[in-house]
């Protein structure tokens, strides 16, 4: 009985295989191989309007530049001239001072025989760390005889290429924005207030009278909310790429401040300074700034 069942099983598998082959042959006969395949090639007059910046914008920003590596190096001048017996102590002082700005990958102390020459080179892993070190330690007083003069290594090339003849910079024409505190001239001393409505689509400025009067209305004026400066001179609107300030009777754009993902701002009481905060790090920057003044 077992042998009979095995034989019957083999016979059934042969029939199934034969049916599959026959069905496959019929499908091949039905296919028309003479049908012309579509042409995927571009026409001769086709112009590709998409450039590499659109396709690989993020990657091209990471493309190595000629200045990479040079901008990571700073030159510290007017360091103590010491012999080899005191060099290790000097190195520890320098590392403690400059190590807080970023990771140091190279240190070079040029020697004149057995004595340092009074300047040195430091290399950071990132150019932003080097720039911060220059900003914070240029003019640093180590002791009574030694005040540091610190520069980026790339600055020497820039200073070397200064033109012999000074060219006077073009003076920007004055733009009269009108009276930036015009509302104070209102005979009834009415103030103004802002209102965002229609699910954030519209922003309007109203006169705070007995019956509020609409002064200005714009669609998509801000992406989140608006804020007045302490004295009411500026109206700040928030956008993904930064802050915009609006002034005057017709609320003309006065200034823009770039800060990716900004969510909070604060003005100084005299309205001379603006601080912006973003909790979202800028992925395109190696050292994203969360607070900008």
């Amino acid at each position: 009985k077992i042998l009979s069942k095995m034989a019957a099983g083999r016979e059934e598998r042969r029939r199934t295989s034969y049916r599959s082959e026959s069905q496959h042959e019929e499908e091949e006969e039905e296919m028309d191989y003479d049908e012309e395949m579509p042409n995927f090639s571009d026409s001769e007059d086709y112009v590709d309007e998409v450039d590499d910046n659109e396709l690989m914008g993020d990657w091209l920003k990471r493309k190595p530049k000629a200045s990479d590596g040079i901008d990571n190096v700073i030159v510290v001048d007017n360091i103590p001239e010491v012999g080899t017996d005191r060099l290790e102590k000097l190195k520890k002082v320098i590392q403690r001072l400059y190590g807080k700005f970023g990771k140091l990958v190279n240190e070079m102390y040029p020697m004149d025989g057995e004595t340092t020459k009074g300047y040195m080179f430091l290399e950071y892993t990132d150019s932003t760390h080097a720039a911060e070190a220059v900003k914070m330690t240029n003019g640093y007083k180590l002791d009574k005889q030694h005040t540091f003069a610190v520069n980026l290594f790339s600055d020497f090339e820039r200073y070397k290429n200064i033109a012999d003849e000074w060219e006077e910079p073009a003076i920007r024409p004055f733009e009269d924005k009108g009276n930036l505190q015009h509302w104070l001239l209102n005979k009834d001393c009415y103030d103004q207030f802002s209102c965002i409505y229609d699910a954030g689509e519209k922003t309007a400025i109203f006169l705070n009278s007995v019956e509020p009067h609409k002064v200005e209305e714009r669609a998509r004026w801000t992406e989140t909310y608006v804020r007045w400066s302490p004295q009411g001179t500026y109206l700040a609107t928030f956008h993904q790429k930064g802050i915009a300030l609006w002034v005057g009777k017709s609320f003309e754009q006065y200034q823009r401040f770039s800060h990716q993902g900004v969510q909070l701002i604060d003005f100084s009481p005299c309205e001379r300074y603006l601080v912006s905060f973003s909790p979202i790090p800028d992925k395109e920057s190696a050292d994203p700034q969360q607070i900008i003044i």
Side-chain angles (χ1 to χ4, degrees):
K1 292 182 179 179
I2 294 175
L3 293 175
S4 299
K5 289 182 179 180
M6 292 175 63
R10 285 196 296 269
E11 182 65 24
E12 181 63 25
R13 284 195 296 272
R14 280 198 297 269
R15 292 175 182 174
T16 302
S17 176
Y18 176 76
R19 285 196 299 267
S20 299
E21 292 175 359
S22 299
Q23 185 178 1
H24 181 67
E25 291 174 357
E26 291 176 0
E27 290 176 354
E28 287 184 343
E29 290 177 359
E30 292 176 359
M31 293 179 65
D32 185 4
Y33 290 97
D34 295 332
E35 183 180 353
E36 185 178 356
M37 295 295 290
N39 183 12
F40 295 100
S41 301
D42 296 329
S43 58
E44 294 181 359
D45 58 346
Y46 174 76
V47 178
D48 191 357
E49 297 179 353
V50 181
D51 57 12
D52 291 341
N53 288 326
E54 293 184 44
L55 294 174
M56 301 184 297
D58 294 339
W59 286 102
L60 288 176
K61 289 178 181 178
R62 303 176 189 176
K63 182 180 178 180
K65 303 183 290 293
S67 60
D68 287 350
I70 299 178
D71 287 338
N72 298 4
V73 179
I74 67 173
V75 183
V76 185
D77 200 3
N78 204 29
I79 66 172
E81 298 180 12
V82 299
T84 54
D85 56 330
R86 298 175 57 195
L87 182 58
E88 286 302 319
K89 183 178 180 180
L90 176 62
K91 287 184 177 181
K92 290 181 180 178
V93 173
I94 295 297
Q95 290 169 357
R96 183 167 61 250
L97 175 61
Y98 285 94
K100 60 186 178 183
F101 300 109
K103 184 179 179 181
L104 293 169
V105 293
N106 274 313
E107 303 174 40
M108 181 180 177
Y109 296 79
M111 304 292 289
D112 184 8
E114 297 294 322
T115 308
T116 59
K117 288 187 174 182
Y119 63 92
M120 60 171 297
F121 301 91
L122 294 175
E123 182 181 359
Y124 286 92
T125 56
D126 191 87
S127 59
T128 54
H129 300 159
E132 184 69 11
V134 171
K135 178 181 176 182
M136 298 303 296
T137 63
N138 185 34
Y140 176 81
K141 194 170 184 179
L142 182 65
D143 52 39
K144 292 181 179 180
Q145 289 80 30
H146 301 92
T147 301
F148 290 171
V150 189
N151 291 279
L152 290 172
F153 187 79
S154 56
D155 286 344
F156 288 90
E157 189 70 22
R158 181 162 56 90
Y159 296 146
K160 186 178 70 174
N161 295 329
I162 295 177
D164 295 333
E165 296 183 3
W166 180 74
E167 294 183 5
E168 184 177 357
I171 300 176
R172 295 176 57 185
F174 172 73
E175 296 182 19
D176 187 6
K177 299 293 184 179
N179 186 355
L180 301 187
Q181 296 181 326
H182 63 91
W183 74 93
L184 296 177
L185 300 176
N186 184 280
K187 62 180 181 179
D188 296 316
C189 299
Y190 290 141
D191 207 343
Q192 295 178 347
F193 66 92
S194 61
C195 182
I196 301 175
Y197 53 97
D198 281 354
E201 284 293 314
K202 294 183 179 180
T203 303
I205 308 299
F206 290 88
L207 194 66
N208 194 20
S209 53
V210 178
E211 292 292 333
H213 170 67
K214 186 184 296 182
V215 178
E216 186 78 16
E217 181 187 53
R218 297 181 189 179
R220 295 178 292 279
W221 199 352
T222 183
E223 295 182 17
T224 53
Y225 67 100
V226 299
R227 179 169 179 178
W228 296 97
S229 59
Q231 299 179 19
T233 307
Y234 308 104
L235 176 70
T237 56
F238 289 71
H239 308 273
Q240 181 62 30
K241 294 185 178 181
I243 296 293
L245 299 184
W246 309 82
V247 299
K249 194 172 183 178
S250 57
F251 292 93
E252 298 178 11
Q253 188 176 103
Y254 181 75
Q255 185 63 276
R256 291 182 296 176
F257 299 95
S258 298
H259 195 176
Q260 189 74 20
V262 60
Q263 293 189 9
L264 298 173
I265 65 169
D266 200 5
F267 291 89
S268 62
C270 60
E271 299 183 341
R272 295 179 60 189
Y273 301 96
L274 171 68
V275 180
S276 59
F277 170 76
S278 172
I280 304 173
D282 188 358
K283 296 181 180 179
E284 297 176 1
S285 173
D287 186 22
Q289 294 177 297
Q290 291 187 313
I291 298 176
I292 298 178
I293 301 176

